[in-house]
Amino acid sequence: MDFLIALLNNSDALLHSTLVAATPLLFAALGETFVQRAGIINIGLEGILLTGAFAGMTASYFSGSPLLGLIVGAVSGLLLALLFAGLTVGLSADQIVVGVGLNLLAAGLTGVLYRGIFGVTGQALQVSTFLPIHIPFFSTLPILGSSLFQHAGLVYLAITLVPICTFFLFYLRAGLQLQAVGEHPHAAETLGISVKRVRFLALAFEGVLGGIAGSYLSLAYSNTFIEGMSAGRGFIALAIVIFGRWNPTGALWGALFFGVATALQFHLQALGSELPYQIVLMLPYVLTLLALMLLKTSATAPAALGQPYHRE
Amino acid sequence: MVTVQLTALISPLLALASAAIVIACGLWLTGADVPSVFVNLWLGAAGDSYRLSETAVKACPLLFTGLAVMLALRAGVWNIGAEGQLLLGALATAWVGQHLTFIPSPLAVAIVVAASLSAGVFWAGCAAYLKQKHNVNEVISTIMLNFVALYLVSYGVHGPLMEVAGQYPQTDPLPPTATLPRLFPPARFHLGILFALVAALIVWIFLFRTKAGFRIRATGANPIAARFAGIATDRQVALAFLLSGALAGLAGGIEVSGITHRVYEKFSPGYGYTAIAVALVGQRSPIGVVFAALFFGALDAGASAVQRTIGLSSVLASVIQAVVVLFLAAYSTATVQRFIHRTSTRLIVPLLLCWFVLLPSLT
């Protein structure tokens, strides 16, 4: 019980680290939500995150500007996503295969380039990173001030994107076209929507967001690059998309849910809890499985998810 | 029919050749000595009998998991969960093995191998159950289960299964009676590698010489037609998934029993994910998977030699694997296949002839 009380006393820190951990997941999940709404499943998201983390860190290291790092990270994510799009949308190659290839490529390339550029050193590199922005007035509020309003700018950007994405998906013509492409590509094509163009654009959007998510990892989360540092976050984002039932708001809740688990793990360890931290980390996956089991999500999944489209 | 078989053979060869060209260009751009990289890759994978044995050792878990993914794929489903099934198989082997100190050798080995197999079946069974009863997509559920397995291993080696000495997060080694013998010491070539080859043979016989195997292939080839022919396709998918889990579980058990003798965190460098590439490069056939696993194993063994001799990073292997997979994905699409069909007799066959006949005679 003692650690529960300690945890409550630390609730502002817990809330703070929840948001920090949820942000990259939210970026990635929002991108994947759009992609899956367009009928594509991209398990190469993990590779996009890892590439973004590496490119962002490298650019920031050599230029001293985290903003330039962020842009380079986003562009690298875009390039990988376009490679995916060219193969799966352009040539109708299998989405799972290309996704796996992308993950292998990212793991290998970032490893080779990192060792090639920085050598194998014992010490982790330090790069210039995003400093927390204190929002005037709000950041001085008790408890909530320090936990909600003292973050890197990207955290606010991620949260702002949620209503924007919702509005785009459900109220704009382009968003409805995107949904039509994922539900019934042939009907969409008959209505004069170019399925291939919509899917390309959705993937490009995901690439940029995935690259930003990766850069966030190396430029705001841990200030360095470690091989394989995306640590499965791309796969978690896939779970979040389904958990959030293909809605941006749902993605926000899913990201916070996984964020809490990550934050809890650190705090439980720090407070010397008896509960093994692996169990805490395992929980979101088990709960996602249970949610999938109970929610009957198949009804809400885009009907053409994962199927290549051939024009007739 | 002949042309179909021709392209089935040509696609992987073309993918390999294209990958080699792209990798060579990439290496050349970074200023590496390209020929010496390739020579050292080859020497590291097949330079002497010890290196050959290392190639086989690295290929062994990939062969099991590659067969696993391939078998599920034959029924038309993706088993992205080979990684989790492998980890659980390994964990079961370490757990059961610890209690087998007084059991004579062949029996102890049989018990740990059976334990890993059952663990793999159980873990794949979870995904199969979710798919059958609750219509949960197997790609998603197996990815989730992979993470759960990863944390189970982590929990095990930090907690109840931690070595008695309590120094490192790893299990105690298996008792010698439960380990697979090495056939040509000091090389690490162990009996499990022969088991893997036997498994490939059994899978081949099952798929192409039994009724159950035919039903699985029919389900994967055209589920609607199979259902019209009176095949209970749901049951075939579940069966294929359980068998797939058995093979992936075995991969973990045999790796522990044959090579590592214990389980630790990051026990698998992603064998279950590479397996997807192995199954594809192997053209979804058991014989193809044997060669693909050997090729990927050779890349791993060769890349670590390149790191030692030239200092180039050993993750080079996954770059090569990735480029091969991406080219293969492109070459197996209808668009590119049509192009290959049209040009194969006119262009590609002469080119291949040049490659195999003229090039060696020139050098």
Side-chain angles (χ1 to χ4, degrees):
Chain A
M1 271 331 271
D2 287 345
F3 78 86
L4 270 182
I5 295 160
L7 207 60
L8 278 176
N9 287 333
N10 276 318
S11 58
D12 53 338
L14 185 69
L15 199 56
H16 188 270
S17 35
T18 297
L19 273 182
V20 167
T23 298
L25 301 175
L26 182 55
F27 274 121
L30 284 176
E32 182 76 13
T33 299
F34 270 60
V35 164
Q36 294 207 3
R37 281 277 181 182
I40 302 263
I41 186 160
N42 181 5
I43 67 170
L45 185 55
E46 175 76 11
I48 294 180
L49 255 65
L50 188 59
T51 311
F54 173 76
M57 187 280 295
T58 311
S60 174
Y61 180 83
F62 286 113
S63 70
S65 152
L67 190 66
L68 192 72
L70 181 72
I71 294 168
V72 172
V75 170
S76 72
L78 177 68
L79 288 178
L80 266 197
L82 288 181
L83 175 62
F84 183 92
L87 288 169
T88 58
V89 181
L91 289 174
S92 310
D94 191 294
Q95 294 164 14
I96 304 288
V97 179
V98 180
V100 169
L102 223 55
N103 288 338
L104 269 175
L105 185 69
L109 265 187
T110 53
V112 169
L113 290 175
Y114 181 76
R115 294 182 205 185
I117 297 172
F118 301 104
V120 185
T121 51
Q123 275 187 321
L125 294 161
Q126 294 292 311
V127 290
S128 4
T129 51
F130 290 107
L131 296 172
I133 300 170
H134 292 239
I135 295 186
F137 176 68
F138 288 107
S139 62
T140 54
L141 289 172
I143 302 177
L144 289 183
S146 59
S147 49
L148 292 185
F149 301 106
Q150 297 180 7
H151 284 285
L154 285 173
V155 176
Y156 309 122
L157 176 67
I159 293 167
T160 324
L161 272 174
V162 175
I164 296 175
C165 289
T166 311
F167 182 73
F168 180 90
L169 261 184
F170 299 112
Y171 296 98
L172 285 188
R173 195 182 164 77
L176 297 173
Q177 288 184 341
L178 180 85
Q179 291 190 45
V181 165
E183 290 296 336
H184 206 307
H186 288 290
E189 191 86 48
T190 331
L191 293 171
I193 305 168
S194 165
V195 172
K196 289 202 168 182
R197 198 178 64 199
V198 168
R199 289 185 166 178
F200 252 103
L201 288 174
L203 278 164
F205 178 68
E206 174 180 56
V208 171
L209 284 196
I212 291 177
S215 314
Y216 174 89
L217 286 178
S218 58
L219 296 177
Y221 193 84
S222 57
N223 309 346
T224 187
F225 179 82
I226 304 155
E227 277 178 47
M229 75 180 291
S230 51
R233 285 187 182 83
F235 293 124
I236 297 173
L238 285 180
I240 291 174
V241 171
I242 296 156
F243 194 79
R245 314 191 89 183
W246 293 271
N247 280 326
T249 329
L252 175 64
W253 291 121
L256 287 174
F257 180 59
F258 274 86
V260 165
T262 317
L264 261 182
Q265 172 239 322
F266 287 124
H267 286 268
L268 285 179
Q269 266 181 312
L271 298 171
S273 146
E274 292 290 306
L275 190 70
Y277 69 89
Q278 294 93 349
I279 304 296
V280 179
L281 281 174
M282 204 187 286
L283 214 57
Y285 303 102
V286 177
L287 288 177
T288 305
L289 281 173
L290 284 177
L292 286 174
M293 205 172 122
L294 301 173
L295 287 173
K296 297 273 175 252
T297 39
S298 54
T300 45
L305 189 61
Q307 295 162 6
Y309 171 72
H310 303 282
R311 198 179 295 162
E312 275 160 19
Chain B
M1 199 55 213
V2 176
T3 47
V4 170
Q5 282 173 345
L6 200 65
T7 41
L9 194 68
I10 279 175
S11 299
L13 287 178
L14 269 183
L16 287 180
S18 316
I21 292 168
V22 167
I23 297 291
C25 289
L27 287 171
W28 180 68
L29 281 175
T30 60
D33 180 5
V34 181
S36 90
V37 171
F38 279 95
V39 167
N40 275 293
L41 256 180
W42 171 254
L43 288 179
D48 54 42
S49 58
Y50 183 81
R51 303 307 312 175
L52 276 173
S53 147
E54 280 303 289
T55 291
V57 163
K58 303 262 193 225
C60 181
L62 290 175
L63 177 47
F64 273 115
T65 48
L67 285 172
V69 174
M70 185 273 297
L71 192 62
L73 211 49
R74 280 285 182 169
V77 280
W78 281 105
N79 180 9
I80 312 287
E83 180 79 3
Q85 291 142 22
L86 174 144
L87 286 175
L88 221 66
L91 201 61
T93 298
W95 180 49
V96 172
Q98 287 183 337
H99 305 289
L100 298 179
T101 8
F102 298 108
I103 293 182
S105 182
L107 187 61
V109 169
I111 292 173
V112 292
V113 164
S116 68
L117 187 145
S118 332
V121 170
F122 168 68
W123 215 233
C126 292
Y129 168 81
L130 286 170
K131 186 176 175 65
Q132 297 281 300
K133 297 285 178 209
H134 299 281
N135 205 9
V136 178
N137 184 309
E138 75 281 359
V139 172
I140 301 301
S141 62
T142 49
I143 288 177
M144 298 298 108
L145 286 167
N146 284 348
F147 280 98
V148 178
L150 200 65
Y151 289 122
L152 272 179
V153 168
S154 171
Y155 170 65
V157 298
H158 280 101
L161 289 177
M162 193 169 182
E163 59 179 356
V164 176
Q167 253 193 321
Y168 299 104
Q170 58 183 19
T171 63
D172 273 319
L174 291 182
T177 46
T179 59
L180 286 161
R182 290 184 181 172
L183 298 181
F184 315 104
R188 300 200 294 169
F189 192 100
H190 57 88
L191 192 62
I193 295 165
L194 299 185
F195 288 176
L197 289 171
V198 172
L201 185 68
I202 292 174
V203 169
W204 185 85
I205 293 171
F206 171 76
L207 272 178
F208 298 105
R209 289 290 180 272
T210 66
K211 276 183 190 162
F214 172 76
R215 282 197 290 264
I216 283 179
R217 283 189 295 132
T219 303
N222 190 340
I224 297 165
R227 222 168 293 141
F228 271 115
I231 296 173
T233 50
D234 282 355
R235 206 184 299 164
Q236 307 312 318
V237 167
L239 174 68
F241 225 82
L242 294 180
L243 291 174
S244 176
L247 286 163
L250 276 176
I254 288 192
E255 184 71 0
V256 170
S257 181
I259 292 293
T260 63
H261 297 173
R262 56 169 102 221
V263 174
Y264 37 87
E265 258 188 307
K266 307 212 169 87
F267 162 81
S268 158
Y271 290 129
Y273 294 109
T274 312
I276 298 162
V278 172
L280 291 163
V281 174
Q283 296 288 295
R284 309 175 185 210
S285 102
I287 301 156
V289 168
V290 173
F291 286 107
L294 276 174
F295 170 67
F296 278 59
L299 271 181
D300 273 341
S304 50
V306 169
Q307 181 165 24
R308 261 179 290 126
T309 48
I310 309 184
L312 208 64
S313 156
S314 63
V315 266
L316 182 70
S318 54
V319 180
I320 301 178
Q321 288 166 358
V323 178
V324 173
V325 170
L326 290 176
F327 270 114
L328 200 72
Y331 287 151
S332 56
T333 59
T335 321
V336 182
Q337 287 272 303
R338 267 199 302 275
F339 178 77
I340 296 176
H341 264 273
R342 274 206 307 273
T343 49
S344 60
T345 39
R346 266 176 272 157
L347 191 67
I348 290 163
V349 173
L351 268 179
L352 282 176
L353 279 177
C354 286
W355 182 264
F356 286 118
V357 179
L358 287 179
L359 219 65
S361 57
L362 281 176
T363 50

